């Protein structure tokens, strides 16, 4: 019972924190003081821990040179 409650609280905290970052980031696109793109990316990264759609969205907007290699693309890199 205690573990279920803790995981529910953790899921809710991740959802609230990520959604808040995305919403503030969207506002930052229109306000000159707030770095909107950075906050949207951060919010998607937080939400990506819980939701697959956020992971895919972050993968789309992240330039290839900044992504972590998930698996080697050639046999030479694997060795």
């Amino acid at each position: 019972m205690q573990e279920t409650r803790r995981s529910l609280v953790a899921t809710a905290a991740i959802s609230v924190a990520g959604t808040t970052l995305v919403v503030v980031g969207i506002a930052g696109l229109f306000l000159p003081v707030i770095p909107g793109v950075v906050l949207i990316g951060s919010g998607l990264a937080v939400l990506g821990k819980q939701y697959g759609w956020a992971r895919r969205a972050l993968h789309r907007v992240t330039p290839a040179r900044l992504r972590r290699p998930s698996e080697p693309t050639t046999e030479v890199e694997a060795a």
Side-chain angles (χ1 to χ4, degrees):
M1 180 72 173
Q2 193 72 3
E3 276 186 37
T4 305
R5 184 174 293 173
R6 185 172 294 150
S7 67
L8 183 61
V9 170
T11 301
I14 288 172
S15 296
V16 168
T19 303
T20 301
L21 284 170
V22 170
V23 169
V24 172
I26 290 171
L29 294 175
F30 302 103
L31 300 172
V33 179
I34 301 171
V37 176
V38 173
L39 290 175
I40 291 172
S42 299
L44 287 174
V46 170
L47 288 171
K49 292 181 177 289
Q50 193 70 33
Y51 303 106
W53 62 265
R55 230 174 289 124
R56 288 187 299 274
L58 184 62
H59 186 73
R60 272 192 188 157
V61 299
T62 305
R65 61 186 165 81
L66 295 179
R67 288 187 209 134
R68 287 188 200 154
S70 57
E71 57 188 36
T73 55
T74 64
E75 294 176 9
V76 175
E77 291 178 16

